């Protein structure tokens, strides 16, 4: 097991290098720092001095890949590539274009993100699995048919409408919770409730339908027929056999997104003004702060790869037939 | 003078491809059978009718030209710099009758009070009359009756169009089945035959009558109200159809060659080819999608600001951005299909007919094209129709983060985005949101239903169970 994990981590390295190169290519080669500076400073009639100053302030005035003027190792280290991309490998995100320490911002902002994503995930799993079980129990009846149609309708509605509708109905019309904002400590609950609920409702359609297929697939298997043949009631078959075995693909499917929970949800956070990493990224996109966007791209990729690794490990735990080495 | 945007050219190219594929499928029984199953599904066929309706609007909006300027006959022809489409011509009245600000659906007066100067010189605060909507009325109190009359008139003309359509379908069916017209009508009403024609015709009838009624009304009123700058919301929603369709289809068109070629090659050759391709898609996949789009769009913006002279018109800029967005979405979305195809190709390469072809000395390229590709086409087809609705929905989200289509371009995402800010008003401005909601649901729901039917018909695992 340990061997496998070590091997997988080594396998992840080239992928991380690839991600790093892609972002570097996008942000520094396709458009040079001069272009970015000109755009940030606004007008076309920017003097070269202003551009140079902007670049010098942010350390973009070094050569891109190879510094011929320096000597020794500094030829490599005194470059944009080294100072902006290589350092990402040790999670040194450096400073944002507006001069803030990105690493510090991230460590502060991930908590509000988690406050939204973790309850959403847990409550969501509970709700979707229950709904899917109900549909599977009533399979091939009108309840099932209309349930599935309802699911399809719900997944055909853009998530924007759920958010806007939720804010309007619960926040503005019923005045149950504040429309947006965030607070620390226990006060946060009333701010968190609405985004969590909206997120839950928004993905009921697709998740319930998907889980229902998983349960139905389980129900066609031999062990279920055996269980029924033994004379077990349908309820017992469902809870004791179908649910337990259906949970394997569901939970291993969830594992892949676990690390991504830190990143938060871009749209939800920015709509509800939650000061998490999602709104941090959106703000950076809107302010065109390239340093932050670059860091978040990298962080997201690292977490995704971590998710893949965890998925593989969880498969071995859930299903002993799979051997990793 | 016609103008051809790149996306226009691509959409007609796509149409040609679909036609070619339809012709190919019609002559091959193994492809015809699943499509017949789709055609016998009433829900799917109703969905197809709605989709065709959207596609027609989109196609009308994809024929662009510079309108001719009015002038004396002896001068050479001159063209306006404005770019219009056929749809703009049809909806001329909606496009040109711009009010000053918000007005509710079917309203004859503006949404907010203004200072009005009466004839005797005194000032009052009241809702001003709209410039165009209901301007044909002498007395705006009778608007309700007028609306009903106009709606009925539109519905009747819609009914006529529908009856003509029904007659056309019945005659075609009667000829192909060698039945008399009466018997054909009978069989449609009695729901005989595989294709649920009664559903198709009813859906088409409902659509045609409602649309024709709305259309007739729209030259007198703003049926879905007007937005902040007084533009007709119905017109915007119609114009957005093209954007939605393009995002859903062009993205697939862009990614399809990569996904198919790389996926099949990875599965067929295995070894280092497989490693490289797997590395490629794992890397691309591990970059969070929204962030990659954001980064790419930011870069495009930088490029466009620095090369402003290359883009002559606003429309051209918007078109480039749309195409670029489709390309980025395509780059991100090919990985899923590629992985599926790789898995399938891995299985197919061990099948006897592939071994036989290899033993006969058939080249790898030919084997992949003739033996592997046709056997993975069902996966390709399923993934095309399933991806479509997701892409249309994604557009709205991207517009919210300002990394979607150009803000000057009509799109549902942009409509939602601008309407969202107005919800704080009291009474609220709901109609822009409602229009975007109805039009999006009207496209995505049929697309989802159709996708389900296609998947059920083509997925061999499901087919076995039936």
């Amino acid at each position: 097991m340990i061997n496998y994990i070590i091997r997988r981590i080594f396998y992840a390295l080239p992928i991380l290098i690839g991600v790093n190169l892609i972002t570097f290519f996008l942000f520094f080669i396709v458009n040079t720092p001069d272009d970015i500076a000109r755009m940030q400073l606004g007008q076309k009639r920017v003097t070269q001095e202003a551009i140079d100053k902007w670049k010098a302030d942010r350390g973009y005035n070094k050569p891109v890949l190879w510094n011929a003027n320096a000597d020794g190792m500094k030829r490599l280290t005194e470059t944009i590539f080294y100072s902006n991309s290589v350092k990402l490998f040790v999670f040194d995100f450096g400073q944002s274009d507006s001069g803030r320490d990105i690493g510090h911002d991230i460590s502060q902002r991930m908590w509000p993100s988690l406050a939204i994503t973790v309850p959403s995930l847990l409550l969501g799993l509970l709700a979707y699995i229950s709904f899917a079980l109900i549909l599977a129990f009533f399979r091939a009846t009108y309840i099932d048919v209309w349930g599935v149609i309802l699911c399809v309708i719900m997944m055909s509605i853009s998530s924007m409408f759920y958010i806007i509708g939720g804010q309007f109905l619960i926040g503005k019309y019923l005045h149950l919770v504040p429309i947006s904002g965030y607070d620390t400590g226990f006060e946060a609950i009333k701010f968190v409730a609405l985004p969590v609920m909206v997120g839950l409702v928004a993905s009921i359609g697709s998740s319930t339908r998907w889980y229902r297929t998983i349960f139905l697939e389980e129900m066609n298997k031999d062990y279920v027929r055996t269980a029924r043949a033994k004379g077990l009631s349908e309820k017992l078959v469902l809870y004791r056999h179908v649910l337990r075995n259906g949970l394997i693909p569901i939970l291993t499917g969830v594992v892949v997104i676990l690390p991504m929970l830190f990143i938060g949800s871009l749209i939800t956070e920015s709509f509800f003004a939650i000061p998490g990493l999602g709104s941090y990224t959106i703000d950076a996109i809107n302010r065109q702060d390239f340093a932050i966007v670059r860091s978040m791209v990298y962080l997201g990729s690292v977490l995704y790869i971590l998710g893949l690794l965890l998925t593989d490990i969880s498969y071995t735990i859930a299903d002993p037939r799979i051997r990793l080495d | 003078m016609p103008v051809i945007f790149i996306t226009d050219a691509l959409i007609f190219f796509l149409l040609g491809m679909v036609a070619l594929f339809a012709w190919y499928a019609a002559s091959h029984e193994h492809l015809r059978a699943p499509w017949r199953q789709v055609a016998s599904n009433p829900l799917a066929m109703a969905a197809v009718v709605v989709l065709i309706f959207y596609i027609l609007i989109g196609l009308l909006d994809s024929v662009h030209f510079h309108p001719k300027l009015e002038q004396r006959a002896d001068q050479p022809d001159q063209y306006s710099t404005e770019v219009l489409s056929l749809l703009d011509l049809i909806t001329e009245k909606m496009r040109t009758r711009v009010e000053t600000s918000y007005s509710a659906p079917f309203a004859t007066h503006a949404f907010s009070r203004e200072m009005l100067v009466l004839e005797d010189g005194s000032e009052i605060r009241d809702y001003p009359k709209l410039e165009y909507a209901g301007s044909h009325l002498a007395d705006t109190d009778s608007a309700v009756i007028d609306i009903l009359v106009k709606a009925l008139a539109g519905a009747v003309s819609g009914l006529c169009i529908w009856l003509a359509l029904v007659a056309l379908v019945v005659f075609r069916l009667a000829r192909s089945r060698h039945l008399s017209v009466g018997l054909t009508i009978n069989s449609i009403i009695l729901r005989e035959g595989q294709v649920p024609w009664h559903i198709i015709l009813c859906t088409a009838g409902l659509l045609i009558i409602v649309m024709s009624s709305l259309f007739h009304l729209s030259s007198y009123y703003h049926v879905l109200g007007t937005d902040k700058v007084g533009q007709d919301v119905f017109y915007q929603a119609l114009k957005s159809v093209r954007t939605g369709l393009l995002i859903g289809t062009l993205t697939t068109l862009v990614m399809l060659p990569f996904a198919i070629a790389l996926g099949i090659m990875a599965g067929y050759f295995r070894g280092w080819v497989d490693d490289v391709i797997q590395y490629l898609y794992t890397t691309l996949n591990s970059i969070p999608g929204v962030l990659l789009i954001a980064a790419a769009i930011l870069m495009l913006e930088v490029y466009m600001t620095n090369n402003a002279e290359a883009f002559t018109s606003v429309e051209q800029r918007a078109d480039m951005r749309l195409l670029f967005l489709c390309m980025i979405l395509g780059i991100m979305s090919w990985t899923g299909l590629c992985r599926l195809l790789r898995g399938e190709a891995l299985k197919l390469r061990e099948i006897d007919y592939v071994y036989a072809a290899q033993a006969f000395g058939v080249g790898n390229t030919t084997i992949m094209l003739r033996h592997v590709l046709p056997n993975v086409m069902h996966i390709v087809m399923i993934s095309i129709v399933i991806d479509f609705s997701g892409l249309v929905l994604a557009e709205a989200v991207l517009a919210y983060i300002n990394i979607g289509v150009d803000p000057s371009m009509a799109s549902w995402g942009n409509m939602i985005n601008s309407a969202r800010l107005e919800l704080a008003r009291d009474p609220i401005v709901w109609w822009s949101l409602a229009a975007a909601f109805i039009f999006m649901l009207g496209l995505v729901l049929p697309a989802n239903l159709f996708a389900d039917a296609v998947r059920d018909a083509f997925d061999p695992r499901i087919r076995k169970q039936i």
Side-chain angles (χ1 to χ4, degrees), chain B residues 450-464:
Chain B
F450 181 65
D452 281 355
V454 170
R455 193 195 50 202
D456 290 350
F458 279 92
D459 195 335
R461 275 185 311 168
I462 297 176
R463 254 197 305 184
K464 246 178 257 162

Side-chain angles (χ1 to χ4, degrees), chain A residues 31-45:
Chain A
N31 292 282
T32 58
D34 277 47
D35 292 334
I36 299 172
R38 211 166 286 143
M39 173 138 177
Q40 288 263 333
L41 296 172
Q43 303 77 31
K44 275 189 171 177
R45 315 219 177 284

Side-chain angles (χ1 to χ4, degrees), chain B residues 229-271:
Chain B
V229 290
Q231 276 216 323
D232 193 292
V233 173
F234 187 45
Y235 171 71
Q236 285 180 341
L238 283 177
K239 287 290 276 183
S240 308
V241 169
R242 175 174 182 265
T243 316
L245 285 176
L246 277 180
I247 296 241
T249 52
L250 278 196
T251 304
T252 317
L253 182 74
V254 169
M255 66 116 179
L256 218 50
F258 296 101
I260 295 179
L262 294 178
I264 292 181
M265 270 161 63
Y268 183 77
F269 287 118
R270 297 202 298 196

Side-chain angles (χ1 to χ4, degrees), chain B residues 48-62:
Chain B
V48 167
V49 173
V50 182
L51 288 178
I52 288 177
F53 188 74
Y54 270 91
I55 291 170
L56 281 181
I57 295 178
L59 285 179
L60 276 180
D61 203 12
S62 297

Side-chain angles (χ1 to χ4, degrees), chain A residues 77-278:
Chain A
T77 55
E78 287 291 313
T79 58
I80 291 180
F81 182 69
Y82 183 83
S83 58
N84 284 293
S85 283
V86 176
K87 279 187 179 166
L88 286 179
F89 284 117
V90 287
F91 296 99
D92 179 358
F93 297 108
Q95 288 197 330
S96 74
D97 286 351
S98 53
R100 289 177 63 92
D101 181 13
I102 299 179
H104 181 252
D105 276 355
I106 289 178
S107 66
Q108 291 231 303
R109 280 177 164 252
M110 62 187 229
W111 301 111
S113 285
L114 285 174
I116 303 284
T117 48
V118 171
S120 298
L121 178 76
L122 295 179
L123 292 177
L125 272 180
L126 194 70
Y128 308 147
I129 289 176
S130 326
F131 288 142
L133 267 185
I134 293 172
L135 290 185
F137 183 77
F138 290 107
R139 66 194 170 282
T141 64
Y142 275 108
I143 296 175
D144 181 33
V145 172
W146 284 104
V148 172
I149 289 179
L150 191 69
C151 283
V152 177
I153 293 175
M154 288 193 77
M155 60 192 261
S156 303
I157 296 172
S158 170
S159 54
M160 307 283 287
F161 289 114
Y162 288 109
I163 299 178
I164 295 173
Q167 273 187 332
F168 186 76
L169 192 74
I170 310 284
K172 200 174 164 211
Y173 188 66
L174 297 175
H175 293 289
L176 288 180
V177 288
I179 291 183
S180 64
Y182 193 72
D183 205 346
T184 47
F186 277 105
E187 285 294 292
I189 290 179
K190 65 179 186 207
F191 289 101
V192 164
L194 185 57
V196 168
M197 211 174 72
V198 167
L200 211 80
V201 174
S203 48
I204 274 186
S206 51
S207 303
T208 305
R209 209 167 76 120
W210 181 37
Y211 293 167
R212 173 184 165 274
T213 357
I214 291 176
F215 287 137
L216 285 187
E217 221 163 83
E218 266 335 291
M219 280 182 158
N220 283 329
K221 289 195 173 153
D222 289 339
Y223 70 88
V224 176
R225 196 177 305 134
T226 315
R228 289 211 189 97
K230 283 193 306 189
L232 284 187
S233 72
E234 189 63 24
K235 224 185 268 172
L236 266 181
V237 172
L238 217 55
Y239 282 126
R240 200 179 282 169
H241 296 278
V242 175
L243 176 61
R244 280 190 192 176
N245 285 291
L247 277 181
I248 294 176
I250 290 174
L251 290 183
T252 43
V254 164
V255 169
V256 75
I257 61 162
L258 281 183
M260 298 297 266
L261 294 182
F262 285 96
I263 296 277
S265 153
L266 297 178
I267 315 298
T268 313
E269 282 185 17
S270 113
F271 252 104
F272 292 99
I274 309 280
L277 282 180

Side-chain angles (χ1 to χ4, degrees), chain B residues 5 21 36-37 61 90 102 112 119 162 236 243 283 286 405 412 421 453:
Chain B
F5 287 132
F21 178 76
R36 260 207 299 271
Q37 195 194 321
D61 203 12
I90 300 171
Y102 290 111
S112 44
E119 278 167 23
W162 180 60
Q236 285 180 341
T243 316
T283 308
S286 60
V405 297
W412 294 313
L421 302 168

